[in-house]
Amino acid sequence: MNHDIITMDHGSGGGATSRLIEELLVPAFHNPQLSALGDGALLELSGPLVFSTDSFVIDPVFFPGGDIGKLAVCGTVNDVAMCGGTPRYLSLGFILEEGFPLESLRRIVSSIADTAADCGVSIVTGDTKVVEKGRGDGIYINTSGIGTLTWPGLSPANLKPGDKVILSGTMGDHGTAVMLARSGLLEGGDLRSDCQPLCRLAASVLEAGGVRVLRDPTRGGVATTLNEFVDGTNLSIELEEDTLPVRPAVHSACEMLGLDPLYCANEGKMLAVVDPQQAEAALAALRSTPGGEDAAIIGTVTDRYPGKVILNTCLGGGRVLTRLTGAQLPRIC
Amino acid sequence: MNHDIITMDHGSGGGATSRLIEELLVPAFHNPQLSALGDGALLELSGPLVFSTDSFVIDPVFFPGGDIGKLAVCGTVNDVAMCGGTPRYLSLGFILEEGFPLESLRRIVSSIADTAADCGVSIVTGDTKVVEKGRGDGIYINTSGIGTLTWPGLSPANLKPGDKVILSGTMGDHGTAVMLARSGLLEGGDLRSDCQPLCRLAASVLEAGGVRVLRDPTRGGVATTLNEFVDGTNLSIELEEDTLPVRPAVHSACEMLGLDPLYCANEGKMLAVVDPQQAEAALAALRSTPGGEDAAIIGTVTDRYPGKVILNTCLGGGRVLTRLTGAQLPRIC
């Protein structure tokens, strides 16, 4: 057996599986629930909970600003946070391709452990499967997360005309960084994924008050997420193009790649729709929290274009932003 | 776009993803949490919980006695049940390969819905990713499950000399059925996977009382699971070969394939270690529950061979059963 790569034996349920779990995974995530190594973890929790799941198939596995491990923790922690939950526990499922370097797995596991610690969540239960070479792509990860519901009642159904739409920072950093890394054009560039946990940003804006709904605009980007808010309702969302925060490097990369930052995936940004009376306070709360320095009010809920998202452009026109229709950025998360 | 197969667009997070979710998944699993289509599900639960996860990469996806969908529900429901939990909620994550037939996905979704209903669990949150042709193998599924802890305190640490080891039915049905289906030799055979939920069997034996620990012997089989019980302890488990329940067809298949039923995967069987005073009552409880008709007392906890599992053979000898060491049956679940 080659000890430097994943072999089919690591997925057998036998000795190699046990060694992988006991020598790599349990020490990295050490906590009493995981160490018990039963079929599941016992959790002391009560009250209403938030439960979310995400699988991660990003290509490449390592990218500027993060890796699939950091992404897998942030993705699910952020989904729990967007529901008003305080993330507490994660499960972790690996689907490894035969031949995947153990050294890469170690780096990813370390990244998972660091990010989980940063978010205050514990990895309490897991599973590892191995598929033959050519039946996977290195590593796929699923995380499922449980949080306690700290801020109930968030929903797109709360939206009212006049509400302000706040974006917690710049758009398109993740999508462009991954696309450029994939095309091999990133050398020397300063693009980095925004992959980060949103639990602290979510808590800061929710404590400020007046929040109708939170959502992280990942696949499909800001335009697709805002469409999900107003789809089938009598409300519209109007964005002001000159307020949209986009880094110059992302702007250039989007032009080069033929992408629109409004449809690019983000992995550390949050949309908050907020009562107009409390929008400035919410904005200030975000800007004073690490990772929210570039937060901006980017639009308003109106009733002028029922069910639609409109971009009021710098030139004075209006453009309908539909949902993403094709696979602009495959395997971005 | 070919409407009969999965395309990269189905994983984009845009319109095709939404249609897949709203037209196929939400109607199949209809419940209020899933219909809300937020980033996560809100659950009203309290008290100590059990949390478990499993990814499923079985090949082939459809096999005699089940399919990857039924397996994905049973696998996680059973892990929750083995911890003394009453399964309540499941998450569902798909990793689909571009080109996978939509008709196959529909069959699998229907199977998931039927099995979940049978177990009394709701699919409350999900995720769908698509990878390029050649980077997956049709469909991989992750399920994570939450249950309420109904019977606390189950643990291999409870084992005492004299305890009886009960197996809830025949060994090796799943492993041999899948291997034969894979090799194309199954035509006309009567081998079927034992894939089934164990929640009712677990409840029946736990209500009977005296249970030290439960575990379902999946990958690695009965021999590997029993090794997990006594590994690093002063206890041993001695099995009596003439009591081991094995179907004649499984016995023949194992001989043909060079497999040992003790190491073959099961997907609807349970090992229960029970106080000797209550073993007969536990056995009777299992035998009177559907799916437990072939339950048998197969061995005893002793202190004669610390840390080892011993098979006392029909010929009067003793054979040490180690953990599974290689990948006897790759991608069996």
Side-chain angles (χ1 to χ4, degrees), chain B residues 11 34 43-44 55 76 93 102 153 157 172 264 270 284 293 302 304 318 328:
Chain B
L34 187 63
L43 312 180
E44 285 297 337
S55 297
T76 291
L102 267 173
C264 274
M270 182 174 76
E293 298 83 355
T302 67
R304 300 201 300 167
Q328 188 193 32

Side-chain angles (χ1 to χ4, degrees), chain A residues 18 39 45 52 135 140 323, chain B residues 18 39 47 52 135 140 323:
Chain A
S18 298
D39 279 327
L45 275 179
S52 188
R135 303 296 173 125
Y140 297 145
R323 287 180 185 224
Chain B
S18 299
D39 280 327
S52 188
R135 303 296 174 128
Y140 298 145
R323 287 178 184 225

